[in-house]
Amino acid sequence: MNSVVQLYYKSFVGLSKPIWLLSMVTLINRTGAMVIPFLAVYLTQVLHFTKGETGIIITMFGLGSLAGTRLGGYLTDKVGYYHVQFWSLILSGVLFIILDYVHDFWPLVGYIFVLSTIAESYRPAVMVAVSAYSKTGNVTRSFGLLRFAINLGFSAGPALGGLLAARLGYSWLFWVDGITCIIAGIVFRLTLKEMAVNTATTESEKTSMHLPPERTSIFQDKKYLLFLGASVISAIVFAQFISVIPVFFKEELLFSEATIGLLIASNGLMIAFFEMPLVYKLEHRKNLLQIVLVGYALIGLCYVCFLGLPKGLFMASAAIVMITVGEMLCFPFGNTYALQQTNSHNKGKYMAFYAMSFSLAHVIAPSFGFQVAEHFGYPVLWMLLIILAILSCWAIIVLEKKSK
């Protein structure tokens, strides 16, 4: 027990005060994150849209995310990460509240795009903020602490959201989500000041990465583009977790909203408890791509559980464990690898393109997942996702060889 306590202590010690404050803001924001995990269920069960219509609406969320991350990266380089983060939190909070009153299909399509554009402009800004607020040599653990806050909040948000939806109605989800965004923005403004981006690297970091030359275009960086491609494919596989899988739990396994909320919450809870010690143990490994590779493989194994295990709570739980462990490995170390490929003049642009890889996945994943499930059934979808997971692993293997 003493060894476990020491491991947790070493995982968190030495991180800067601003990183802790930034993580506190993120925790407040994510604790109220209830709308997105239940959006597909809300659209199909409450507004009675078809799977195809639901896929289109969630695809618009992905398109807005794509536009938002690109816009956020541009604004981060132009006006700074600080202002982008603040206004993204405040405006998205207002938009989440108004979403409660938009019920028709085409208005929802346009509104979801606008909301997502504003909300997702936050993502590249916060990635650059980690670089500004973290101490030299602590970037991966700083990302880990931020993800700890995200997932601790995410473990509470869906669980509470499931209870609110089941007992009081879905309107509560929109209001709680919006208000917590606004509170997070106010706390951010009151507790954090803008700081210069940290461009220093430790000796160990210098030996574990190839510092990029000054490039006029990201499209000249072929290795980074390959990494982005692998990220897109893996993110398409992972994104079914917040779109198709909750509907699968509802329709095929007949779980209640409360049960679905608890299953989604268990993902965040596991990450909150285990990711930081895992990052601490692995952060000094020189080959980050090997860690990312294992993470991609485990995300693919989630869908092997759906095909190979009897339907029920055990199958759902095993799949959640697989996708969660994979997420803990590939995302924090993927963030660090992406940041290591930047220089002092292009952090916003590079991190925006990295964030856009996830946004692009959210454009493709919902329509792809729902259309395949509706026309060919869930087993065919699971098999296709396993093939995509294998493809993402192959891309990382090729990238690792090129890096050597």
Side-chain angles (χ1 to χ4, degrees), residues 52-64:
E53 290 172 329
T54 299
I56 291 172
I57 292 173
I58 298 180
T59 295
M60 292 308 295
F61 183 89
L63 284 171

Side-chain angles (χ1 to χ4, degrees), residues 1-59:
M1 180 60 70
N2 184 58
S3 299
V4 172
V5 172
Q6 286 294 319
L7 177 60
Y8 270 87
Y9 173 77
K10 290 177 181 178
S11 301
F12 290 95
V13 72
L15 299 176
S16 67
K17 182 180 177 181
I19 284 292
W20 282 97
L21 291 172
L22 182 65
S23 299
M24 179 185 68
V25 170
T26 302
L27 176 62
I28 295 170
N29 183 33
R30 287 296 178 174
T31 299
M34 302 177 182
V35 173
I36 301 307
F38 285 97
L39 184 58
V41 179
Y42 169 73
L43 294 172
T44 56
Q45 305 299 314
V46 178
L47 299 187
H48 304 294
F49 292 135
T50 66
K51 288 188 182 72
E53 290 172 329
T54 299
I56 291 172
I57 292 173
I58 298 180
T59 295

Side-chain angles (χ1 to χ4, degrees), residues 126-155:
V126 77
M127 288 180 175
V128 176
V130 170
S131 178
Y133 292 139
S134 63
K135 295 180 180 178
T136 301
N138 280 346
V139 173
T140 302
R141 279 200 296 140
S142 296
F143 274 124
L145 181 62
L146 192 69
R147 282 179 48 77
F148 172 83
I150 290 171
N151 288 285
L152 187 61
F154 195 66
S155 65

Side-chain angles (χ1 to χ4, degrees), residues 111-271:
Y111 191 86
I112 286 291
F113 175 81
V114 174
L115 188 156
S116 179
T117 299
I118 299 298
E120 293 299 298
S121 63
Y122 180 88
R123 193 183 301 178
V126 77
M127 288 180 175
V128 176
V130 170
S131 178
Y133 292 139
S134 63
K135 295 180 180 178
T136 301
N138 280 346
V139 173
T140 302
R141 279 200 296 140
S142 296
F143 274 124
L145 181 62
L146 192 69
R147 282 179 48 77
F148 172 83
I150 290 171
N151 288 285
L152 187 61
F154 195 66
S155 65
L160 180 58
L163 293 173
L164 288 174
R167 298 185 180 184
L168 299 176
Y170 277 86
S171 289
W172 283 81
L173 275 64
F174 301 105
W175 279 85
V176 172
D177 204 332
I179 290 171
T180 50
C181 283
I182 294 170
I183 292 173
I186 294 171
V187 173
F188 174 79
R189 196 59 175 259
L190 293 176
T191 60
L192 282 161
K193 296 181 179 180
E194 188 170 9
M195 296 176 64
V197 175
N198 181 12
T199 59
T201 55
T202 63
E203 289 303 316
S204 61
E205 287 174 331
K206 289 177 181 177
T207 59
S208 66
M209 68 185 184
H210 300 288
L211 294 177
E214 301 290 337
R215 296 185 177 92
T216 58
S217 171
I218 195 172
F219 298 104
Q220 296 175 352
D221 193 341
K222 294 181 179 179
K223 288 195 297 182
Y224 194 69
L225 291 176
L226 180 59
F227 175 68
L228 292 179
S231 298
V232 170
I233 297 170
S234 180
I236 290 171
V237 180
F238 177 81
Q240 309 301 323
F241 176 64
I242 57 174
S243 57
V244 174
I245 288 178
V247 177
F248 169 72
F249 286 165
K250 181 70 177 178
E251 291 185 346
E252 297 291 318
L253 305 187
L254 305 179
F255 291 162
S256 67
E257 280 87 354
T259 301
I260 295 170
L262 289 172
L263 282 168
I264 296 173
S266 67
N267 165 265
L269 201 59
M270 282 187 285
I271 291 174

